[in-house]
Amino acid sequence: MALNKLTLREASDKLAAKEISSVELTQSCLDQIEKHDKNINAFVTVDTEKALAAAKAADARIAAGNAAPMTGIPIAHKDIFNTADMRTTCSSRMLENFVPPFDATITTNLREAGAVILGKANMDEFAMGSSTESSHFGASINPWDTERTPGGSSGGSSAAVAANMAICATGTDTGGSIRQPAAFTNLTGMKPTYGRCSRFGIIAFASSLDQAGPMARSAEDAAMLLSVMASYDRNDSTSINAPVPDYTQALTGEVKGLKIGIPSEYFGEGLDDEVRAAVEAAQAQYQSMGAELVPISMPNSNYAIPTYYIIAPAEASSNLARYDGVKYGYRCDDPRDIRDLYFRSRSEGFGEEVKRRIMLGTYVLSSGYYDAYYRKAQKARRLISNEFKEAFEKVDVILTPTTPSTAFKFGEKDDPIQMYLSDIYTINGNLSGLPGISVPCGFDGKGLPIGLQLIGKALDEETLLRSADAYQRETDWHTRRVDLG
């Protein structure tokens, strides 16, 4: 098998055994990027020179006998993580030439573990979108079908791994932006518990919802990557001060006696028949492995979309107020006065979807409407969160589809509401701060990947990863790869 198609576990083992070098592994990914990224557009920035230098340093560390499991592994960073030696654009004209003065904590964690940063992956502008079509640098392409999106907002990260340009990738998930693109491209993608991974150095979209997580080719790979990404960080006031386990130790392959909740509301109107059939087949697979399926009801989940699209734009309008052409970001040419400077810098610097959400967020926070919309949304969020707490008194994990359909075509969802509904099954996890993971569970009649979602209790990533890994030991959906030549 070509080196760039190895799983993270396979690559790590071969590096440790000195069967391959990090330079060879990194070069194989760079060659794939050189060959195919002009069509896939997974990357905004690729730095070949720095990547190979990091690979040489990793080989020296391995030779010295002090390597970690991530040492020498080429990864793609979503272009929302600050990198001190590489521009961080958030796929926006507003930050097109921004080179941060410091690394994000997750960037630091991965550098210290010896990972090799290939470059920065494309994304929806400021992580606002479900298709990567809102990127200032053009949409990324789904390697499984080049007429379709790879999902969003971490679509560049998912496309990079699915197209064998990187061994694994980082992403962020505000309403499903790791899990939905993972489902669209046959990857395993995880949103950890809110606060499990530091948000320091991640360019903020909606601060109470944003969470970083791994995108990889298997649950074991996701566990290896999360073990490095997760940490307590005193620079992030929302960071959870709890020990980070070695998540790979939880992968026992055992789910006997596991109680899996099946919420009826997630299998109603709007769910594609082929997605439903694949997820129900996965339920039967878990049952055959000794897990117990428990029917549950979560009616407040139906409030997720309107609740999310009040809270997230409200926080976005506040976070993005700093980009005014004076303190931060793009500045227009030849402004007539200060009003013209502010107005045109923001109008020209932001794309349409970002401007739509800023306007919506500003409206719901405005005088006279705060109580009518924002306060009510926060109450609905509490109801949704309480409903999950009650459900987890009966079950260990909850199993749902990740997305209502497989990957859609470019331009197919030109109505913003239809685009927002792409995240209908994932948003509840963000509103509740709970961990969730998307796992490949089949293909539709067009040959497009289907994902199932497992949602767990707060800080119980180990049960989610164990459940996902056990399923992958009995099925081969996650091993199927795109062959781009």
Side-chain angles (χ1 to χ4, degrees):
M1 180 184 287
L3 297 184
N4 54 305
K5 294 183 178 179
L6 295 173
T7 66
L8 173 50
R9 167 56 71 191
E10 290 169 341
S12 182
D13 288 348
K14 287 182 180 296
L15 286 168
K18 299 184 177 61
E19 294 176 18
I20 61 173
S21 71
S22 178
V23 170
E24 292 171 332
L25 181 63
T26 301
Q27 189 62 58
S28 71
C29 292
L30 292 169
D31 290 346
Q32 186 77 349
I33 293 170
E34 175 69 23
K35 191 174 180 181
H36 293 291
D37 201 42
K38 56 183 176 295
N39 297 322
I40 301 297
N41 199 29
F43 285 89
V44 172
T45 303
V46 176
D47 194 326
T48 300
E49 188 175 330
K50 286 191 177 72
L52 289 174
K56 287 178 184 175
D59 284 334
R61 182 169 167 178
I62 293 168
N66 60 356
M70 283 297 297
T71 302
I73 301 296
I75 66 168
H77 260 319
K78 186 175 181 178
D79 205 15
I80 199 169
F81 294 95
N82 276 357
T83 43
D85 58 353
M86 199 179 293
R87 68 174 178 157
T88 300
T89 71
C90 238
S91 286
S92 176
R93 186 184 189 190
M94 185 61 79
L95 292 174
E96 188 168 4
N97 300 308
F98 174 57
V99 179
F102 60 90
D103 275 340
T105 296
I106 283 171
T107 308
T108 300
N109 290 351
L110 286 163
R111 285 192 203 274
E112 290 179 349
V116 174
I117 300 173
L118 294 165
K120 307 301 284 294
N122 201 6
M123 54 182 281
D124 278 304
E125 184 180 9
F126 282 98
M128 298 180 192
S130 302
S131 65
T132 314
E133 290 174 285
S134 71
S135 168
H136 173 63
F137 301 99
S140 291
I141 308 298
N142 191 327
W144 289 92
D145 182 339
T146 55
E147 293 184 353
R148 296 174 188 273
T149 83
S153 64
S154 305
S157 295
S158 66
V161 180
N164 304 310
M165 297 175 183
I167 302 299
C168 57
T170 57
T172 60
D173 192 315
T174 305
S177 290
I178 288 175
R179 291 161 287 166
Q180 185 247 27
F184 280 6
T185 56
N186 211 44
L187 300 183
T188 301
M190 185 174 207
K191 184 201 88 70
T193 307
Y194 179 77
R196 179 72 288 188
C197 295
S198 171
R199 291 186 301 107
F200 180 73
I202 299 175
I203 295 176
F205 162 19
S207 302
S208 74
L209 301 164
D210 298 338
Q211 182 57 205
M215 306 185 77
R217 291 172 175 149
S218 70
E220 183 179 25
D221 287 6
M224 292 174 69
L225 186 50
L226 181 61
S227 295
V228 176
M229 294 176 69
S231 65
Y232 168 64
D233 184 3
R234 63 177 64 246
N235 290 318
D236 175 3
S237 62
T238 61
S239 177
I240 295 174
N241 189 359
V244 177
D246 178 353
Y247 292 107
T248 62
Q249 296 300 309
L251 309 182
T252 63
E254 183 59 65
V255 293
K256 190 174 182 179
L258 185 80
K259 292 185 177 180
I260 301 177
I262 310 296
S264 56
E265 289 78 7
Y266 285 70
F267 293 85
E269 187 179 352
L271 177 61
D272 179 88
D273 289 341
E274 290 181 284
V275 174
R276 182 196 306 276
V279 176
E280 288 179 349
Q283 294 172 17
Q285 177 66 43
Y286 272 110
Q287 210 166 17
S288 71
M289 294 157 59
E292 178 186 353
L293 304 184
V294 181
I296 59 174
S297 179
M298 305 187 73
N300 287 324
S301 296
N302 293 328
Y303 299 121
I305 292 286
T307 301
Y308 177 87
Y309 280 100
I310 290 174
I311 293 174
E315 295 184 13
S317 72
S318 176
N319 278 326
L320 271 58
R322 74 192 69 175
Y323 304 108
D324 58 6
V326 177
K327 295 189 288 294
Y328 295 100
Y330 167 86
R331 178 178 293 183
C332 68
D333 293 331
D334 303 321
R336 294 189 303 275
D337 51 34
I338 189 67
R339 184 184 182 283
D340 187 51
L341 169 65
Y342 286 143
F343 185 83
R344 283 205 292 122
S345 292
R346 288 172 66 80
S347 296
E348 295 170 11
F350 289 132
E352 292 303 312
E353 182 59 29
V354 173
K355 283 188 274 196
R356 180 182 296 115
R357 299 200 192 195
I358 289 174
M359 290 173 66
L360 180 61
T362 303
Y363 178 78
V364 301
L365 290 176
S366 61
S367 177
Y369 295 100
Y370 180 93
D371 286 342
Y373 295 106
Y374 188 73
R375 192 182 300 278
K376 280 187 179 176
Q378 291 290 15
K379 290 179 178 177
R381 182 179 190 174
R382 172 54 61 190
L383 289 175
I384 292 168
S385 183
N386 287 343
E387 197 166 66
F388 273 102
K389 286 181 182 176
E390 292 171 11
F392 283 123
E393 291 176 1
K394 306 172 188 171
V395 300
D396 301 305
V397 299
I398 294 171
L399 190 154
T400 78
T402 305
T403 57
S405 70
T406 52
F408 48 86
K409 290 186 176 181
F410 290 105
E412 184 176 330
K413 296 185 185 295
D414 53 358
D415 176 354
I417 302 298
Q418 289 300 312
M419 185 70 80
Y420 298 165
L421 289 171
S422 302
D423 297 331
I424 192 168
Y425 301 133
T426 52
I427 278 175
N428 279 304
N430 299 83
L431 291 170
S432 305
L434 300 174
I437 189 168
S438 180
V439 182
C441 70
F443 288 80
D444 69 6
K446 304 182 189 72
L448 298 171
I450 299 171
L452 70 85
Q453 176 181 220
L454 296 167
I455 304 170
K457 302 172 187 173
L459 288 179
D460 195 16
E461 283 81 4
E462 289 164 294
T463 299
L464 285 186
L465 289 163
R466 174 168 61 86
S467 305
D469 173 68
Y471 177 75
Q472 291 181 342
R473 292 188 191 201
E474 299 294 326
T475 61
D476 66 354
W477 304 115
H478 67 291
T479 65
R480 302 188 186 188
R481 307 280 177 76
V482 174
D483 186 5
L484 296 177

